[in-house]
Amino acid sequence: MLNIVLLEPEIPANTGNIGRTCVATGSRLHLIEPLGFRLDEKSLRRAGMDYWKDLDVTTYINYEDFLEKNPGAKLYMATTKAEKMYTQIRYEPDCYIMFGKESAGIPEEILVRHREDCVRIPMIGGIRSLNLGNSAAVILYEALRQNRFSGMETAGSLHRLEWEP
């Protein structure tokens, strides 16, 4: 099971959307405080729709608490400061993919300790970053693809409707 980690998220709608993506993919969501909202906020529930109740979510009081409660976790960090693209990593089935808060990303003092595990999504020059929910979906789905979408429905079907003119 893959894990998405949000370090100090600020916008409830982004967290709600990411929560919904986690439910749809069977991934866990980890929220590291302080949060820029309360977990019972209406906008958070709206973005996560009726899926929020099905979400496997854990909160931590700070980054150190997260590390202490997840010893040995393979952690990748999404940042515009990374040298490697997110497609250049081999994601383990139980890895953790961390994203920083919307206004500042992951603090550089954390990134420098994990330089080899930092990944970026390519963008044209002059663009600061993608939306947090979009970034999480892009990298999560690459990790899922690499793990052959294990446990997921990978094919749909169309139902032909017969009608008379």
Side-chain angles (χ1 to χ4, degrees), residues 46 116 129 165:
R46 185 182 310 126
E116 289 302 311
S129 65

Side-chain angles (χ1 to χ4, degrees), residues 27-39:
S27 302
R28 291 186 198 109
L29 180 62
H30 304 263
L31 302 175
I32 301 175
E33 297 178 353
L35 308 180
F37 50 85
R38 293 187 334 264
L39 287 177

